[in-house]
Every structure is written in C-alpha cells, then in structure tokens.
C-alpha cells in the first residue's frame, strides 16, 4: 500500500460524457502528479501540482483539467470523452526531499 | 527534458543477477537518477535513486558511471516477482523540490525464467 488513494477504481461511461477522478496523496506530500497509461502510449505525464499550484504540464488535452485543493487532494476532470480516452489514470505524490514518487493503484476508465 | 534510453527487453533466470542498463547522456548536474518498476496490473513502484555515488537498498543496487551519462540497476538475485517493466527516469531539483515532467520512457520488460 503506497498510501495514495484513487477513486473510483473502475469507471465505465459513454462518449461525450464527463468524469472526475479523485486522488488523495500520502499524508504530508505536497506534490501530486497525474499520468495516463494506455496500451499503445505507455505512461504519459499529464500534470503536476505542488501545494495547490500547477507546477508542470505535459501533453494534457484541453478537454482535461485538474486542480489541487487546500487539503491537498486532487481531481482530474475529463470531459467530452472519446473512445481513445480509455486508459488507466494514475495519481502519484512525492516526498519532496527525495523526489520519490508513490503511485496509487490507478483508475481504469472505459469509454464506450 | 533530459531523455533516457533503455533496452526494450531483457531476460534472466531465477536467482541469477540482473543488470539493467540506462543511458542518459544529456543529464544535467542537478538531475537525480530514479528507477521505478511496474508489475502487471499495478501502479509503478519506486526502486532506488542516486545522484553520483553508487547506492544500495533492500531491493536493488544502483551503479552510476563516473561521467553520470549511464547507470545500471542491479538485482542481485532475480525472483519471479521481479518480472516487471523497469523505468529509468531523471528527476530535476531546484529550490528544495522536484520539478520537471518526470517523463517515463518505454522501459525495459524484464522476464524471469524459473
């Protein structure tokens, strides 16, 4: 158990819909990262937040957005879903002194 | 972002040592070398990291070249549970916190034979 909690574990929805994925980082970790993993793309970095502020951005689509709240939990919002958005979405939090990332178990999104 | 290059796959026999190489010729002075692994159907798991000196922990050893342009993750006695995808990534540091996109490459698929 990494200490990072992601909900929901599985989600099935239809094209055009909107979903929200939630992540609770390890206690005391200020940074949260979101990654997308699909079969043909590997682990793709989406976005990083540090203490509520966006710190780094990867290839995150405009249909996707994220935020980190004052209690440090984070949400990834995916809208106007397409079939190609079906993937595992991982959240990670980091120990700032070492940069070690702790990953959650992921949220598996299936878009039908 | 500084890139890393790893072989697509490697094979080993159980209880034999495994040396997983990683090239990072464009590494900068403040980049730490991190290794993660991902077991099937799980999130990536931290293995080890280092800056300049070789490092050991309960999971593995990390050997870093003197010029820091390459590194090797060493599993001293592979077990079936070590079969996973191993990722070598560079983590930059500034102002007391990590930064950068922490981009994972394709990694090395390690197969361990009984």
């Amino acid at each position: 158990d990494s200490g990072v909690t992601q909900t929901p574990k599985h989600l099935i929805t239809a094209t055009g819909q909107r979903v929200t994925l939630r992540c609770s980082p390890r206690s005391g970790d200020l940074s949260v990262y979101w990654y997308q993993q699909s079969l043909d793309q590997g682990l793709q970095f989406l976005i990083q937040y540090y203490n509520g502020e966006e710190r780094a951005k990867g290839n995150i689509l405009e249909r996707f957005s994220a935020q980190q709240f004052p209690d440090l939990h984070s949400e990834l919002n995916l809208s106007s879903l397409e079939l190609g958005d079906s993937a595992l979405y991982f959240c990670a939090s980091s120990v700032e002194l070492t940069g070690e990332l702790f990953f959650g178990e992921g949220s598996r999104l299936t878009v039908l | 972002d500084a890139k890393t290059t790893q072989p697509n796959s490697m094979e080993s026999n159980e209880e034999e040592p495994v040396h997983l190489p990683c090239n990072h010729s464009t590494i900068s002075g403040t980049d730490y070398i991190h290794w993660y692994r991902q077991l099937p159907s799980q999130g990536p798991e931290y293995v080890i990291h280092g800056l300049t000196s070789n490092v050991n922990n309960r999971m593995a050893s990390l050997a870093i070249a003197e010029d820091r342009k390459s590194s090797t993750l060493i599993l001293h006695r592979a077990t079936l549970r070590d079969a996973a995808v191993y990722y070598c990534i560079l983590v930059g540091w500034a102002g007391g916190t990590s930064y950068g996109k922490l981009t994972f490459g394709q990694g090395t698929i390690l197969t361990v034979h009984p």
Side-chain angles (χ1 to χ4, degrees), chain A residues 5 7 20-25 29-30 32 34 49 52 67-76 91:
Chain A
T5 304
T7 56
T20 298
L21 309 180
R22 182 188 168 99
C23 170
S24 294
D29 287 355
L30 299 180
V32 169
W34 286 98
Y49 281 85
Q67 55 183 326
Q68 185 179 27
F69 295 87
D71 67 352
L72 300 178
H73 91 270
S74 177
E75 292 181 356
L76 178 67
C91 169

Side-chain angles (χ1 to χ4, degrees), chain A residues 69-88:
Chain A
F69 295 87
D71 67 352
L72 300 178
H73 91 270
S74 177
E75 292 181 356
L76 178 67
N77 299 298
L78 315 175
S79 63
S80 303
L81 286 168
E82 302 175 358
L83 296 177
D85 298 327
S86 295
L88 260 173

Side-chain angles (χ1 to χ4, degrees), chain A residues 34-48:
Chain A
W34 286 98
Y35 286 86
Q36 179 193 57
Q37 186 172 41
S38 53
L39 283 175
D40 58 347
Q41 292 286 332
L43 265 168
Q44 299 291 312
F45 169 77
L46 295 178
I47 198 163
Q48 176 198 2

Side-chain angles (χ1 to χ4, degrees), chain B residues 4 6 22 24 33-36 71 86-90 103 105:
Chain B
T4 61
Q6 300 176 253
C22 181
H24 28 77
I33 302 156
H34 283 234
W35 284 81
Y36 288 80
S71 61
Y86 286 79
Y87 298 97
C88 164
I89 67 171
L90 302 180
T103 301

Side-chain angles (χ1 to χ4, degrees), chain B residues 55-98:
Chain B
V55 185
N56 300 296
N57 66 20
R58 64 176 180 81
M59 291 180 69
S61 296
L62 176 60
I64 301 172
E66 198 168 330
D67 63 7
R68 301 207 328 126
K69 293 185 177 181
S70 65
S71 61
T72 302
L73 179 70
I74 303 166
L75 307 178
H76 295 286
R77 292 182 64 188
T79 69
L80 296 179
R81 194 192 173 278
D82 292 323
V85 180
Y86 286 79
Y87 298 97
C88 164
I89 67 171
L90 302 180
V91 180
W93 277 93
T97 186
S98 63

Side-chain angles (χ1 to χ4, degrees), chain B residues 20-54:
Chain B
L20 298 165
C22 181
N23 288 319
H24 28 77
S25 58
T26 59
I27 190 171
S28 72
T30 55
D31 285 343
Y32 282 74
I33 302 156
H34 283 234
W35 284 81
Y36 288 80
R37 71 180 185 181
Q38 187 173 21
L39 279 63
S41 302
Q42 294 187 26
E45 173 188 32
Y46 168 82
V47 177
I48 200 168
H49 79 282
L51 183 62
T52 56
S53 304
N54 294 344

